[in-house]
């Protein structure tokens, strides 16, 4: 995604666009909105989205400090025009005309805090932002980063249903960081170049609900069962690893921003008609008995074009799939209940 953005040229955006196979005048205008743009994830995400040549308008919103972020990012000499919006009165203006809304808003995890502890604060934030999306840009794709994703995606879905705007093809829980981590950890143990690695990650986006399918990893490496179990556990605990390493000073913000930018780029490519764009995401699904589930999704002009089957699972992965269902169902139900209170 980013290689084309970093080409040194007197016209870097044009060079990047040409490298993508587009003439600059043929690239559609796309407005992307980041809700929570001044936060720990929001700021690096704003930077990375400013580097994306598929974006023509970048709208940055938060309850405070957005003008500074917008001014700073806005000086970067790439295609998109940047506008900053702050406070409740500006939310509608930030959202109007959006093609894609990314939501990293909310409080981060702290040491000893589970994703469930985040619920009461972040659920209220997501509920209010979803009401505004339904009012001002009901056709936009929505990328949910705010945790706990297993609950915040169902909250947004319920709010959109109440507003009569819900389209299951346009709501995504961003689980890309689990995929990024699985690829990194797998490449290290398999001794293969990480850029060549692909690992699907299914289930949800917290603890044991995160299920990396290392049996489907490519390129395949002959790793022991014990090593696969250790890699699975590390992927599931990746967020905690960062929280502890930052010693109470923060959570996974930089890697989450990178993962969020990757998934947003995939969504934009899908909107623009690029074929065969497949990423893992937490979406409304019928591939299990649960109403929402993360798996590989084909992206297109309407958002979700196809939710792909899980494919063949190892015995260890089958056990993990059964083990995660109760917790994931509980988180989904909690979100639905909150939205309907």
């Amino acid at each position: 995604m980013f290689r084309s953005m970093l080409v040194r040229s007197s016209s870097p955006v044009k060079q990047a666009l040409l490298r993508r196979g587009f003439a600059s005048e043929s690239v559609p205008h796309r407005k992307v909105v980041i809700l929570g743009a001044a936060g720990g994830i929001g700021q690096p995400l704003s930077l990375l989205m400013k580097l994306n040549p598929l974006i023509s308008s970048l709208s940055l919103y938060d309850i405070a400090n957005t003008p500074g972020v917008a001014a700073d990012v806005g000086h970067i000499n790439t295609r998109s025009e940047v506008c900053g919006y702050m406070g409740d009165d500006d939310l509608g203006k930030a959202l109007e005309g959006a093609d894609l809304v990314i939501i990293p808003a909310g409080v981060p995890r702290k040491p000893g805090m589970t994703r469930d502890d985040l619920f009461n604060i972040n659920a209220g934030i997501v509920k209010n932002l979803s009401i505004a999306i339904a009012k001002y840009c009901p056709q936009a794709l929505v990328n949910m980063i705010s945790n706990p994703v297993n609950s915040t995606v169902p909250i947004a879905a319920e709010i959109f249903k109440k507003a009569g705007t819900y389209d299951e093809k346009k709501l995504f829980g961003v689980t890309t960081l689990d995929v990024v981590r699985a690829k990194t950890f797998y490449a290290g143990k398999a001794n293969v170049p990480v850029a060549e690695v692909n690992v699907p990650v299914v289930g949800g986006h917290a603890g044991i609900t995160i299920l990396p399918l290392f049996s489907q990893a490519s390129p395949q490496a002959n790793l022991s069962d014990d090593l696969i179990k250790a890699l699975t556990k590390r992927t599931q605990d990746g967020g905690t690893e960062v929280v502890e390493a930052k010693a109470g000073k923060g959570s996974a913000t930089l890697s989450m921003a990178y993962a969020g930018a990757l998934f947003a780029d995939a969504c934009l490519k899908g909107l623009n008609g690029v074929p065969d764009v497949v990423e893992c995401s937490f979406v409304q699904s019928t591939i299990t008995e649960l109403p929402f589930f993360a798996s590989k999704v084909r992206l297109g002009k309407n958002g979700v074009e196809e939710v792909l089957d899980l494919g063949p699972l190892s015995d260890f992965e089958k056990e993990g799939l059964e083990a995660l269902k109760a917790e994931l169902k509980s988180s989904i139900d909690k979100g639905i209940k909150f939205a309907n209170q």
Side-chain angles (χ1 to χ4, degrees):
M1 168 187 166
F2 301 112
R3 193 176 298 124
S4 65
M5 302 177 198
L6 301 177
V7 176
R8 291 190 178 274
S9 165
S10 59
S11 179
V13 176
K14 187 173 182 181
Q15 287 294 318
L17 293 170
L18 290 173
R19 281 179 175 270
R20 286 173 175 270
F22 293 114
S24 56
E25 60 270 12
S26 72
V27 179
H29 288 278
R30 295 294 180 196
K31 178 176 177 177
V32 173
V33 183
I34 299 176
L35 302 180
I41 297 168
Q43 289 201 39
L45 179 59
S46 297
L47 169 63
L48 293 172
M49 297 316 292
K50 182 68 175 90
L51 299 179
N52 191 314
L54 301 181
I55 300 169
S56 55
S57 174
L58 183 60
S59 176
L60 307 181
Y61 172 84
D62 215 318
I63 57 173
N65 303 320
T66 340
V69 177
D72 195 358
V73 171
H75 289 178
I76 295 170
N77 61 323
T78 54
R79 179 191 182 202
S80 55
E81 294 185 9
V82 179
C83 290
Y85 300 92
M86 185 171 71
D88 292 343
D89 292 344
D90 271 0
L91 182 54
K93 287 182 281 186
L95 289 169
E96 284 174 347
D99 295 290
L100 172 64
V101 180
I102 312 172
I103 311 179
V107 298
R109 290 175 72 194
K110 295 176 181 175
M113 182 187 277
T114 66
R115 292 186 188 275
D116 212 41
D117 294 331
L118 297 175
F119 181 82
N120 286 328
I121 300 172
N122 287 357
I125 293 170
V126 166
K127 185 175 182 178
N128 291 333
L129 293 175
S130 297
I131 290 169
I133 290 167
K135 181 177 181 180
Y136 293 106
C137 57
Q139 301 302 313
L141 302 189
V142 177
N143 289 2
M144 185 70 69
I145 292 174
S146 304
N147 276 317
V149 165
N150 293 352
S151 299
T152 54
V153 169
I155 288 170
E158 291 299 306
I159 297 302
F160 297 156
K161 286 175 187 176
K162 286 184 178 181
T165 65
Y166 182 53
D167 184 344
E168 65 191 61
K169 295 181 177 181
K170 296 188 174 183
L171 177 60
F172 303 87
V174 180
T175 60
T176 314
L177 182 52
D178 301 325
V179 177
V180 166
R181 286 173 172 150
K183 288 178 178 180
T184 300
F185 303 157
Y186 178 85
K189 295 300 183 183
N191 197 28
V192 293
V194 71
E196 298 174 8
V197 169
N198 197 16
V199 182
V201 181
V202 304
H205 184 58
I208 67 161
T209 71
I210 300 167
L211 183 62
L213 303 182
F214 289 114
S215 71
Q216 298 179 24
S218 62
Q220 265 295 316
N222 190 24
L223 302 182
S224 70
D225 291 348
D226 286 344
L227 191 48
I228 292 296
K229 289 178 182 177
L231 288 173
T232 299
K233 184 80 166 71
R234 191 179 179 200
T235 303
Q236 292 171 337
D237 294 342
T240 301
E241 183 178 316
V242 175
V243 168
E244 291 177 350
K246 290 189 174 182
K249 299 295 193 294
S251 60
T253 53
L254 302 176
S255 53
M256 183 63 249
Y258 169 76
L262 284 180
F263 188 72
D265 182 67
C267 286
L268 291 168
K269 287 175 179 172
L271 285 175
N272 289 351
V274 176
D276 298 320
V277 180
V278 176
E279 295 288 342
C280 292
S281 183
F282 185 67
V283 295
Q284 183 171 315
S285 172
T286 58
I287 63 170
T288 71
E289 63 271 29
L290 300 172
F292 295 91
F293 200 81
S295 65
K296 289 195 288 188
V297 174
R298 191 182 314 281
L299 302 169
K301 293 184 176 181
N302 298 305
V304 175
E305 294 293 333
E306 183 184 8
V307 179
L308 303 179
D309 290 336
L310 296 181
L313 305 182
S314 69
D315 289 343
F316 174 68
E317 291 160 356
K318 288 176 184 175
E319 291 170 11
L321 177 61
E322 293 309 311
L324 70 81
K325 287 180 179 177
E327 182 174 323
L328 182 51
K329 183 180 187 301
S330 175
S331 296
I332 293 168
D333 290 346
K334 189 172 184 177
I336 292 170
K337 181 180 177 182
F338 179 88
N340 289 304
Q341 284 174 349

